[in-house]
PDB file of all heavy atoms in Angstrom:
ATOM      1  N   SER A 983     -43.274 -22.051  24.863  1.00 89.00           N
ATOM      2  CA  SER A 983     -44.514 -22.704  24.870  1.00 89.00           C
ATOM      3  C   SER A 983     -45.670 -21.966  24.203  1.00 89.00           C
ATOM      4  O   SER A 983     -46.434 -22.554  23.469  1.00 89.00           O
ATOM      5  CB  SER A 983     -44.920 -23.148  26.296  1.00 89.00           C
ATOM      6  OG  SER A 983     -46.131 -23.820  26.292  1.00 89.00           O
ATOM      7  N   PHE A 984     -45.699 -20.667  24.500  1.00 88.00           N
ATOM      8  CA  PHE A 984     -46.710 -19.757  23.927  1.00 88.00           C
ATOM      9  C   PHE A 984     -46.621 -19.742  22.395  1.00 88.00           C
ATOM     10  O   PHE A 984     -47.580 -19.918  21.655  1.00 88.00           O
ATOM     11  CB  PHE A 984     -46.656 -18.430  24.508  1.00 88.00           C
ATOM     12  CG  PHE A 984     -47.770 -17.480  24.199  1.00 88.00           C
ATOM     13  CD1 PHE A 984     -48.966 -17.491  25.000  1.00 88.00           C
ATOM     14  CD2 PHE A 984     -47.768 -16.652  23.095  1.00 88.00           C
ATOM     15  CE1 PHE A 984     -50.027 -16.688  24.681  1.00 88.00           C
ATOM     16  CE2 PHE A 984     -48.841 -15.934  22.771  1.00 88.00           C
ATOM     17  CZ  PHE A 984     -49.930 -15.838  23.555  1.00 88.00           C
ATOM     18  N   SER A 985     -45.468 -19.405  21.913  1.00 89.00           N
ATOM     19  CA  SER A 985     -45.206 -19.181  20.540  1.00 89.00           C
ATOM     20  C   SER A 985     -45.364 -20.513  19.793  1.00 89.00           C
ATOM     21  O   SER A 985     -45.937 -20.543  18.676  1.00 89.00           O
ATOM     22  CB  SER A 985     -43.857 -18.532  20.188  1.00 89.00           C
ATOM     23  OG  SER A 985     -42.794 -19.434  20.650  1.00 89.00           O
ATOM     24  N   ARG A 986     -44.892 -21.604  20.231  1.00 90.00           N
ATOM     25  CA  ARG A 986     -45.032 -22.883  19.660  1.00 90.00           C
ATOM     26  C   ARG A 986     -46.508 -23.316  19.556  1.00 90.00           C
ATOM     27  O   ARG A 986     -46.857 -23.966  18.561  1.00 90.00           O
ATOM     28  CB  ARG A 986     -44.191 -23.942  20.294  1.00 90.00           C
ATOM     29  CG  ARG A 986     -42.721 -23.626  20.450  1.00 90.00           C
ATOM     30  CD  ARG A 986     -42.007 -23.723  19.101  1.00 90.00           C
ATOM     31  NE  ARG A 986     -40.683 -23.145  19.151  1.00 90.00           N
ATOM     32  CZ  ARG A 986     -39.689 -23.909  19.705  1.00 90.00           C
ATOM     33  NH1 ARG A 986     -39.816 -25.051  20.305  1.00 90.00           N
ATOM     34  NH2 ARG A 986     -38.439 -23.327  19.741  1.00 90.00           N
ATOM     35  N   SER A 987     -47.296 -23.004  20.612  1.00 89.00           N
ATOM     36  CA  SER A 987     -48.739 -23.418  20.546  1.00 89.00           C
ATOM     37  C   SER A 987     -49.408 -22.631  19.440  1.00 89.00           C
ATOM     38  O   SER A 987     -50.206 -23.172  18.683  1.00 89.00           O
ATOM     39  CB  SER A 987     -49.401 -23.056  21.936  1.00 89.00           C
ATOM     40  OG  SER A 987     -48.873 -23.830  22.873  1.00 89.00           O
ATOM     41  N   LEU A 988     -49.042 -21.348  19.299  1.00 88.00           N
ATOM     42  CA  LEU A 988     -49.541 -20.572  18.163  1.00 88.00           C
ATOM     43  C   LEU A 988     -49.156 -21.176  16.852  1.00 88.00           C
ATOM     44  O   LEU A 988     -50.044 -21.228  15.895  1.00 88.00           O
ATOM     45  CB  LEU A 988     -49.117 -19.076  18.232  1.00 88.00           C
ATOM     46  CG  LEU A 988     -49.619 -18.273  19.417  1.00 88.00           C
ATOM     47  CD1 LEU A 988     -49.097 -16.919  19.430  1.00 88.00           C
ATOM     48  CD2 LEU A 988     -51.237 -18.157  19.312  1.00 88.00           C
ATOM     49  N   LEU A 989     -47.888 -21.612  16.710  1.00 90.00           N
ATOM     50  CA  LEU A 989     -47.443 -22.296  15.470  1.00 90.00           C
ATOM     51  C   LEU A 989     -48.198 -23.462  15.243  1.00 90.00           C
ATOM     52  O   LEU A 989     -48.459 -23.826  14.106  1.00 90.00           O
ATOM     53  CB  LEU A 989     -45.974 -22.488  15.539  1.00 90.00           C
ATOM     54  CG  LEU A 989     -45.051 -21.251  15.493  1.00 90.00           C
ATOM     55  CD1 LEU A 989     -43.601 -21.683  15.730  1.00 90.00           C
ATOM     56  CD2 LEU A 989     -45.163 -20.539  14.117  1.00 90.00           C
ATOM     57  N   ILE A 990     -48.545 -24.251  16.233  1.00 90.00           N
ATOM     58  CA  ILE A 990     -49.165 -25.555  15.985  1.00 90.00           C
ATOM     59  C   ILE A 990     -50.626 -25.259  15.463  1.00 90.00           C
ATOM     60  O   ILE A 990     -51.085 -25.885  14.558  1.00 90.00           O
ATOM     61  CB  ILE A 990     -49.291 -26.291  17.320  1.00 90.00           C
ATOM     62  CG1 ILE A 990     -47.795 -26.809  17.745  1.00 90.00           C
ATOM     63  CG2 ILE A 990     -50.162 -27.533  17.214  1.00 90.00           C
ATOM     64  CD1 ILE A 990     -47.781 -27.467  19.081  1.00 90.00           C
ATOM     65  N   LEU A 991     -51.252 -24.233  16.072  1.00 87.00           N
ATOM     66  CA  LEU A 991     -52.581 -23.872  15.597  1.00 87.00           C
ATOM     67  C   LEU A 991     -52.525 -23.415  14.148  1.00 87.00           C
ATOM     68  O   LEU A 991     -53.368 -23.772  13.326  1.00 87.00           O
ATOM     69  CB  LEU A 991     -53.176 -22.767  16.548  1.00 87.00           C
ATOM     70  CG  LEU A 991     -53.677 -23.202  17.842  1.00 87.00           C
ATOM     71  CD1 LEU A 991     -54.130 -21.976  18.656  1.00 87.00           C
ATOM     72  CD2 LEU A 991     -54.925 -24.156  17.708  1.00 87.00           C
ATOM     73  N   ARG A 992     -51.577 -22.647  13.791  1.00 86.00           N
ATOM     74  CA  ARG A 992     -51.452 -22.090  12.495  1.00 86.00           C
ATOM     75  C   ARG A 992     -51.200 -23.204  11.472  1.00 86.00           C
ATOM     76  O   ARG A 992     -51.768 -23.281  10.402  1.00 86.00           O
ATOM     77  CB  ARG A 992     -50.340 -21.058  12.412  1.00 86.00           C
ATOM     78  CG  ARG A 992     -50.257 -20.321  11.064  1.00 86.00           C
ATOM     79  CD  ARG A 992     -49.264 -19.261  11.151  1.00 86.00           C
ATOM     80  NE  ARG A 992     -47.885 -19.798  11.168  1.00 86.00           N
ATOM     81  CZ  ARG A 992     -46.807 -18.969  11.299  1.00 86.00           C
ATOM     82  NH1 ARG A 992     -46.932 -17.735  11.246  1.00 86.00           N
ATOM     83  NH2 ARG A 992     -45.597 -19.586  11.427  1.00 86.00           N
ATOM     84  N   GLU A 993     -50.286 -24.085  11.895  1.00 88.00           N
ATOM     85  CA  GLU A 993     -49.948 -25.238  10.972  1.00 88.00           C
ATOM     86  C   GLU A 993     -51.192 -26.113  10.811  1.00 88.00           C
ATOM     87  O   GLU A 993     -51.414 -26.656   9.690  1.00 88.00           O
ATOM     88  CB  GLU A 993     -48.779 -26.060  11.598  1.00 88.00           C
ATOM     89  CG  GLU A 993     -48.368 -27.256  10.668  1.00 88.00           C
ATOM     90  CD  GLU A 993     -47.651 -26.773   9.386  1.00 88.00           C
ATOM     91  OE1 GLU A 993     -47.288 -25.620   9.322  1.00 88.00           O
ATOM     92  OE2 GLU A 993     -47.537 -27.661   8.507  1.00 88.00           O
ATOM     93  N   LEU A 994     -51.945 -26.348  11.859  1.00 86.00           N
ATOM     94  CA  LEU A 994     -53.136 -27.118  11.814  1.00 86.00           C
ATOM     95  C   LEU A 994     -54.220 -26.509  10.874  1.00 86.00           C
ATOM     96  O   LEU A 994     -54.821 -27.221  10.059  1.00 86.00           O
ATOM     97  CB  LEU A 994     -53.753 -27.238  13.155  1.00 86.00           C
ATOM     98  CG  LEU A 994     -55.006 -28.193  13.307  1.00 86.00           C
ATOM     99  CD1 LEU A 994     -54.645 -29.561  12.945  1.00 86.00           C
ATOM    100  CD2 LEU A 994     -55.551 -28.146  14.722  1.00 86.00           C
ATOM    101  N   PHE A 995     -54.413 -25.161  10.906  1.00 81.00           N
ATOM    102  CA  PHE A 995     -55.252 -24.462   9.985  1.00 81.00           C
ATOM    103  C   PHE A 995     -54.867 -24.665   8.554  1.00 81.00           C
ATOM    104  O   PHE A 995     -55.585 -24.956   7.682  1.00 81.00           O
ATOM    105  CB  PHE A 995     -55.358 -23.036  10.396  1.00 81.00           C
ATOM    106  CG  PHE A 995     -56.622 -22.684  11.170  1.00 81.00           C
ATOM    107  CD1 PHE A 995     -56.599 -22.860  12.564  1.00 81.00           C
ATOM    108  CD2 PHE A 995     -57.822 -22.273  10.520  1.00 81.00           C
ATOM    109  CE1 PHE A 995     -57.706 -22.513  13.340  1.00 81.00           C
ATOM    110  CE2 PHE A 995     -58.826 -21.934  11.276  1.00 81.00           C
ATOM    111  CZ  PHE A 995     -58.872 -22.081  12.649  1.00 81.00           C
ATOM    112  N   TYR A 996     -53.576 -24.492   8.278  1.00 80.00           N
ATOM    113  CA  TYR A 996     -53.049 -24.596   6.956  1.00 80.00           C
ATOM    114  C   TYR A 996     -53.230 -26.036   6.438  1.00 80.00           C
ATOM    115  O   TYR A 996     -53.700 -26.204   5.244  1.00 80.00           O
ATOM    116  CB  TYR A 996     -51.471 -24.353   7.014  1.00 80.00           C
ATOM    117  CG  TYR A 996     -51.213 -22.870   6.746  1.00 80.00           C
ATOM    118  CD1 TYR A 996     -50.354 -22.167   7.520  1.00 80.00           C
ATOM    119  CD2 TYR A 996     -51.694 -22.161   5.546  1.00 80.00           C
ATOM    120  CE1 TYR A 996     -50.023 -20.852   7.317  1.00 80.00           C
ATOM    121  CE2 TYR A 996     -51.323 -20.849   5.319  1.00 80.00           C
ATOM    122  CZ  TYR A 996     -50.569 -20.190   6.241  1.00 80.00           C
ATOM    123  OH  TYR A 996     -50.283 -18.874   5.992  1.00 80.00           O
ATOM    124  N   LYS A 997     -52.884 -27.053   7.156  1.00 82.00           N
ATOM    125  CA  LYS A 997     -52.974 -28.423   6.772  1.00 82.00           C
ATOM    126  C   LYS A 997     -54.437 -28.748   6.403  1.00 82.00           C
ATOM    127  O   LYS A 997     -54.774 -29.478   5.467  1.00 82.00           O
ATOM    128  CB  LYS A 997     -52.450 -29.373   7.804  1.00 82.00           C
ATOM    129  CG  LYS A 997     -50.898 -29.308   7.901  1.00 82.00           C
ATOM    130  CD  LYS A 997     -50.287 -29.807   6.595  1.00 82.00           C
ATOM    131  CE  LYS A 997     -48.673 -29.783   6.826  1.00 82.00           C
ATOM    132  NZ  LYS A 997     -48.001 -30.287   5.561  1.00 82.00           N
ATOM    133  N   ILE A 998     -55.330 -28.388   7.368  1.00 79.00           N
ATOM    134  CA  ILE A 998     -56.764 -28.721   7.110  1.00 79.00           C
ATOM    135  C   ILE A 998     -57.253 -28.043   5.855  1.00 79.00           C
ATOM    136  O   ILE A 998     -57.999 -28.626   5.049  1.00 79.00           O
ATOM    137  CB  ILE A 998     -57.598 -28.314   8.359  1.00 79.00           C
ATOM    138  CG1 ILE A 998     -57.199 -29.327   9.464  1.00 79.00           C
ATOM    139  CG2 ILE A 998     -59.043 -28.411   8.110  1.00 79.00           C
ATOM    140  CD1 ILE A 998     -57.866 -28.984  10.851  1.00 79.00           C
ATOM    141  N   ARG A 999     -56.925 -26.759   5.706  1.00 75.00           N
ATOM    142  CA  ARG A 999     -57.447 -26.055   4.518  1.00 75.00           C
ATOM    143  C   ARG A 999     -56.901 -26.660   3.198  1.00 75.00           C
ATOM    144  O   ARG A 999     -57.504 -26.620   2.238  1.00 75.00           O
ATOM    145  CB  ARG A 999     -57.077 -24.576   4.652  1.00 75.00           C
ATOM    146  CG  ARG A 999     -57.663 -23.917   5.850  1.00 75.00           C
ATOM    147  CD  ARG A 999     -59.167 -23.668   5.662  1.00 75.00           C
ATOM    148  NE  ARG A 999     -59.532 -22.808   4.648  1.00 75.00           N
ATOM    149  CZ  ARG A 999     -60.761 -22.415   4.322  1.00 75.00           C
ATOM    150  NH1 ARG A 999     -61.748 -22.748   5.115  1.00 75.00           N
ATOM    151  NH2 ARG A 999     -61.030 -21.707   3.239  1.00 75.00           N
ATOM    152  N   SER A1000     -55.666 -27.196   3.226  1.00 75.00           N
ATOM    153  CA  SER A1000     -55.035 -27.682   1.993  1.00 75.00           C
ATOM    154  C   SER A1000     -55.281 -29.174   1.761  1.00 75.00           C
ATOM    155  O   SER A1000     -55.011 -29.713   0.738  1.00 75.00           O
ATOM    156  CB  SER A1000     -53.521 -27.433   1.994  1.00 75.00           C
ATOM    157  OG  SER A1000     -52.865 -28.073   3.150  1.00 75.00           O
ATOM    158  N   HIS A1001     -55.719 -29.831   2.836  1.00 72.00           N
ATOM    159  CA  HIS A1001     -55.969 -31.246   2.731  1.00 72.00           C
ATOM    160  C   HIS A1001     -57.126 -31.591   1.908  1.00 72.00           C
ATOM    161  O   HIS A1001     -58.302 -30.968   2.126  1.00 72.00           O
ATOM    162  CB  HIS A1001     -56.079 -31.943   4.031  1.00 72.00           C
ATOM    163  CG  HIS A1001     -55.682 -33.413   4.051  1.00 72.00           C
ATOM    164  ND1 HIS A1001     -56.627 -34.318   3.602  1.00 72.00           N
ATOM    165  CD2 HIS A1001     -54.618 -34.138   4.390  1.00 72.00           C
ATOM    166  CE1 HIS A1001     -56.086 -35.545   3.652  1.00 72.00           C
ATOM    167  NE2 HIS A1001     -54.836 -35.462   4.146  1.00 72.00           N
ATOM    168  N   PRO A1002     -57.100 -32.489   0.864  1.00 63.00           N
ATOM    169  CA  PRO A1002     -58.335 -32.738   0.062  1.00 63.00           C
ATOM    170  C   PRO A1002     -59.516 -33.270   0.902  1.00 63.00           C
ATOM    171  O   PRO A1002     -60.684 -32.937   0.464  1.00 63.00           O
ATOM    172  CB  PRO A1002     -57.822 -33.886  -0.945  1.00 63.00           C
ATOM    173  CG  PRO A1002     -56.373 -33.723  -0.937  1.00 63.00           C
ATOM    174  CD  PRO A1002     -55.999 -33.217   0.364  1.00 63.00           C
ATOM    175  N   SER A1003     -59.226 -33.974   1.933  1.00 66.00           N
ATOM    176  CA  SER A1003     -60.356 -34.546   2.696  1.00 66.00           C
ATOM    177  C   SER A1003     -61.067 -33.477   3.499  1.00 66.00           C
ATOM    178  O   SER A1003     -62.192 -33.751   3.998  1.00 66.00           O
ATOM    179  CB  SER A1003     -59.885 -35.577   3.635  1.00 66.00           C
ATOM    180  OG  SER A1003     -59.242 -36.618   2.895  1.00 66.00           O
ATOM    181  N   TYR A1004     -60.472 -32.308   3.684  1.00 65.00           N
ATOM    182  CA  TYR A1004     -61.054 -31.357   4.463  1.00 65.00           C
ATOM    183  C   TYR A1004     -61.280 -30.031   3.612  1.00 65.00           C
ATOM    184  O   TYR A1004     -61.040 -28.913   4.079  1.00 65.00           O
ATOM    185  CB  TYR A1004     -60.161 -30.974   5.703  1.00 65.00           C
ATOM    186  CG  TYR A1004     -59.759 -32.145   6.436  1.00 65.00           C
ATOM    187  CD1 TYR A1004     -58.419 -32.594   6.351  1.00 65.00           C
ATOM    188  CD2 TYR A1004     -60.612 -32.904   7.186  1.00 65.00           C
ATOM    189  CE1 TYR A1004     -58.021 -33.791   6.999  1.00 65.00           C
ATOM    190  CE2 TYR A1004     -60.243 -34.032   7.936  1.00 65.00           C
ATOM    191  CZ  TYR A1004     -58.938 -34.455   7.864  1.00 65.00           C
ATOM    192  OH  TYR A1004     -58.538 -35.544   8.550  1.00 65.00           O
ATOM    193  N   SER A1005     -61.770 -30.211   2.418  1.00 55.00           N
ATOM    194  CA  SER A1005     -61.959 -29.054   1.475  1.00 55.00           C
ATOM    195  C   SER A1005     -63.106 -28.169   2.004  1.00 55.00           C
ATOM    196  O   SER A1005     -64.093 -28.709   2.587  1.00 55.00           O
ATOM    197  CB  SER A1005     -62.297 -29.550   0.058  1.00 55.00           C
ATOM    198  OG  SER A1005     -63.439 -30.375   0.102  1.00 55.00           O
ATOM    199  N   PRO A1006     -63.063 -26.959   1.839  1.00 50.00           N
ATOM    200  CA  PRO A1006     -64.082 -26.054   2.446  1.00 50.00           C
ATOM    201  C   PRO A1006     -65.427 -26.170   1.728  1.00 50.00           C
ATOM    202  O   PRO A1006     -65.534 -26.552   0.635  1.00 50.00           O
ATOM    203  CB  PRO A1006     -63.502 -24.651   2.177  1.00 50.00           C
ATOM    204  CG  PRO A1006     -62.563 -24.795   1.103  1.00 50.00           C
ATOM    205  CD  PRO A1006     -62.052 -26.176   1.099  1.00 50.00           C
ATOM    206  N   VAL A1007     -66.416 -25.923   2.511  1.00 48.00           N
ATOM    207  CA  VAL A1007     -67.841 -25.906   1.992  1.00 48.00           C
ATOM    208  C   VAL A1007     -67.981 -24.736   1.042  1.00 48.00           C
ATOM    209  O   VAL A1007     -67.657 -23.574   1.472  1.00 48.00           O
ATOM    210  CB  VAL A1007     -68.909 -25.842   3.181  1.00 48.00           C
ATOM    211  CG1 VAL A1007     -70.291 -25.913   2.681  1.00 48.00           C
ATOM    212  CG2 VAL A1007     -68.628 -27.023   4.109  1.00 48.00           C
ATOM    213  N   PRO A1008     -68.624 -24.877  -0.117  1.00 48.00           N
ATOM    214  CA  PRO A1008     -68.828 -23.746  -1.027  1.00 48.00           C
ATOM    215  C   PRO A1008     -69.631 -22.596  -0.314  1.00 48.00           C
ATOM    216  O   PRO A1008     -70.578 -22.845   0.334  1.00 48.00           O
ATOM    217  CB  PRO A1008     -69.587 -24.341  -2.155  1.00 48.00           C
ATOM    218  CG  PRO A1008     -69.313 -25.811  -2.120  1.00 48.00           C
ATOM    219  CD  PRO A1008     -69.152 -26.124  -0.739  1.00 48.00           C
TER     220      PRO A1008
END
Side-chain angles (χ1 to χ4, degrees):
S983 177
F984 188 90
S985 59
R986 301 290 170 75
S987 298
L988 292 175
L989 288 174
I990 292 172
L991 285 175
R992 186 174 68 179
E993 183 70 15
L994 185 64
F995 260 85
Y996 270 128
K997 290 294 184 181
I998 290 178
R999 299 289 298 185
S1000 61
H1001 202 281
S1003 301
Y1004 310 108
S1005 57
V1007 180

